Amino acid sequence: EKDVAEFLRFLAIKAVHRDITPPVAVDNVFHLALTYTNSYQVLCARVCGRFLHHEPTPGGLAASRHYARQYEDVLQLYSAAFGPPPAEVWPPVAVRMDATNQYVGITQGRLKQLMDTDKYSRPPYNGCG
């Protein structure tokens, strides 16, 4: 459930700052949410005020460096908006960008909770002013 809550916070930040990279746990929730296209569209409208697209990485060293910088940025934005990010979801940059840490599972029940769009509203976020 924490991964889902952190996904919503990530979406709130991404609605204002488009070029950011999520932690692996949040990215996995993001990918699963995208498979429920109608619910994801409603979720984006309620949480972000608009549809948020997801682009896959082109891969390679340059892309890895680019995403590491974006992840550094999102950690700072998160801290400014919500306080210190929970380390179990938002690890340090070196851990996040380690290719051996790229998969986190989520149960079907947690995914159904995520896609229950009736319970979502836009979290308070003003772009870290």
Side-chain angles (χ1 to χ4, degrees):
E1 200 164 297
K2 182 168 231 155
D3 296 349
V4 172
E6 294 304 314
F7 169 66
L8 295 174
R9 287 181 167 190
F10 174 79
L11 285 183
I13 297 169
K14 190 162 180 64
V16 178
H17 302 277
R18 293 179 188 213
D19 295 326
I20 57 173
T21 295
V24 173
V26 170
D27 199 38
N28 287 328
V29 175
F30 200 170
H31 290 184
L32 287 169
L34 289 166
T35 65
Y36 292 80
T37 57
N38 291 326
S39 295
Y40 177 70
Q41 183 178 15
V42 171
L43 176 69
C44 284
R46 290 186 179 167
V47 173
C48 310
R50 65 181 172 84
F51 189 83
L52 296 179
H53 294 278
H54 184 294
E55 297 294 329
T57 177
L61 185 58
S64 292
R65 288 182 181 149
H66 173 75
Y67 293 120
R69 283 189 302 275
Q70 287 187 343
Y71 187 68
E72 287 173 7
D73 292 345
V74 78
L75 289 174
Q76 291 175 2
L77 293 166
Y78 184 105
S79 292
F82 304 112
E88 65 274 15
V89 178
W90 297 84
V93 176
V95 174
R96 164 58 178 99
M97 302 315 292
D98 181 346
T100 63
N101 297 323
Q102 298 301 308
Y103 178 79
V104 176
I106 186 170
T107 66
Q108 182 113 17
R110 290 175 76 191
L111 180 60
K112 286 181 181 181
Q113 287 175 339
L114 167 66
M115 301 319 298
D116 180 10
T117 57
D118 289 337
K119 69 180 180 182
Y120 297 124
S121 62
R122 182 179 286 186
Y125 180 73
N126 64 3
C128 299

